Amino acid sequence: MKVDFYGHVRQYNNIKTEIDANLHEVIQSGQFVLGPMLKRFEGEFAAYSGAKHAIGVGNGTDAIWLALMALGVGPGDECITNANTFFATAEAIWIAGATAVLVDCDPRTKCIAPARIEAAITPKTKAIIPVHLYGQCADMKAIRKIADQHKLLVIEDNAQGIGAHGDGFKIAQLSDATATSFIIQKNLGTFGDGGAIVTNNSDLDARVRKLRNHGSNARNVHSFGFNSRLDDIHAAILSAKLKHIDAWNDLRRALAARYTAGLKGAKHLTLPFETPGGRHIFHLYVVETKDPAKRDGFLKYLNDAGIDAKTHYSIAIHQQAGYPWGKAARIAGSLDNAEFNAATCISLPIFPELTNNEADYVIEKVLQWDQAQ
Ligand SMILES: *Cc1c(COP(=O)(O)O)cnc(C)c1O
């Protein structure tokens, strides 16, 4: 059997008529950039997020740095985030001209550890960027409290958690801005790149709308700006998909529960931890080998068995050779948990269209590996 990591084509075929109708509408309207379909999707996404505004931008990385720039974060400022995230979180801080301060994660959730944030704060600290890693919310209540005590901004990196919520809080409720990505492999993905900023701050909304469009909100009148807009073609696809996101997340959760029940006897693996009271939407189902020396062999075993398992992320930000150390990034405290995660993580295939048969095959192969150790 072969088990893919993504179900893009299956998903398209399941809702083809809805996506095709929206695409047809855009093409027939003759309006492809900042047109009515983008406006419609921005309204739908803001409503879905329970926030006043959503602004469609070119990709998730741009969403982070545009939010930082529009909030006045730049050269000389420090932004605290976790070392175990996708490279783009730190990259966006660097693009904004600020310094990324990398701290360790909670060993169970893999999200940023609030105590580590407190220890990393300096007079230069301007913002905290928690990541809802793998589709599970960071501890936003604790983070908001620290931010209030130290007068810091909070920008959520929600590239992986659309539809998740925390224990008693919603995403975008306790922050200044929330950035998300709609690249195809995310759980709300378009056929290409896309992103959005969600906020309740109307000044920020106006500033980002200008920044993403060459510094312009009136024809021929410009100030400092960029070109980073979500195309109407992508908005059409996303508008059709948004109607299904809660049901798709339920399917992800059911598959995660199937994996966890099937794999609970595995002696050589640690299974994902779910914070009680929260809704983890399992953008990724990440297990860890208890022994770092066994991870690469385990990955090869799965790949050889036809299972397209991957790692998220096997090189933490501070372990990347290409990062501009000294200028754009610094480490605060030990990063033991982030480093252990990088050395041991394996993402098993999970997507709404994955069948129970396929999931059971993955379980069978993982258990076979486990028993052979
Ligand atoms: C995907 C991702 C991004 C960047 O999104 P792009 O749309 O690829 O630019 C940022 N942060 C995290 C955590 C991501 O997973």
Side-chain angles (χ1 to χ4, degrees), residues 242-254:
L242 183 61
K243 296 179 177 63
H244 300 276
I245 191 71
D246 288 339
W248 287 338
N249 283 340
D250 285 341
L251 289 169
R252 286 177 180 276
R253 287 179 52 78

Side-chain angles (χ1 to χ4, degrees), residues 59-61 64 85-86 88-89 131 157 159-160 181 183 186 194 313:
N59 55 67
T61 310
I64 300 170
T85 174
F86 182 58
T89 314
V131 183
D157 178 342
Q160 303 189 0
S181 167
I183 193 173
K186 298 298 159 68
Y313 298 94

Side-chain angles (χ1 to χ4, degrees), residues 58-64 84-92 130-134 157-160 179-186 192-196 283-284 312-313:
N59 55 67
T61 310
D62 287 5
I64 300 170
N84 59 315
T85 174
F86 182 58
F87 189 72
T89 314
E91 180 188 28
V131 183
H132 303 312
L133 201 70
Y134 306 152
D157 178 342
N158 190 32
Q160 303 189 0
T180 198
S181 167
F182 301 127
I183 193 173
I184 180 67
Q185 60 262 43
K186 298 298 159 68
D193 279 301
H283 169 63
L284 296 168
H312 295 82
Y313 298 94

Side-chain angles (χ1 to χ4, degrees), residues 152-222:
L152 304 176
L153 296 162
V154 180
I155 294 101
E156 292 170 78
D157 178 342
N158 190 32
Q160 303 189 0
I162 293 173
H165 65 70
D167 183 9
F169 65 86
K170 292 181 72 169
I171 291 173
Q173 186 190 342
L174 298 175
S175 62
D176 297 279
T178 298
T180 198
S181 167
F182 301 127
I183 193 173
I184 180 67
Q185 60 262 43
K186 298 298 159 68
N187 65 317
L188 179 63
T190 187
F191 300 151
D193 279 301
I197 294 165
V198 170
T199 183
N200 287 313
N201 177 338
S202 298
D203 288 340
L204 176 65
D205 172 68
R207 282 198 294 276
V208 173
R209 282 181 191 284
K210 274 182 82 172
L211 275 179
R212 74 168 174 180
N213 187 39
H214 308 292
S216 177
N217 58 12
R219 189 163 180 80
N220 288 325
V221 182
H222 299 268

Side-chain angles (χ1 to χ4, degrees), residues 321-340:
Y323 209 72
W325 291 106
K327 181 168 173 288
R330 87 176 160 80
I331 290 170
S334 79
L335 298 174
D336 293 349
N337 297 323
E339 287 174 4
F340 186 79

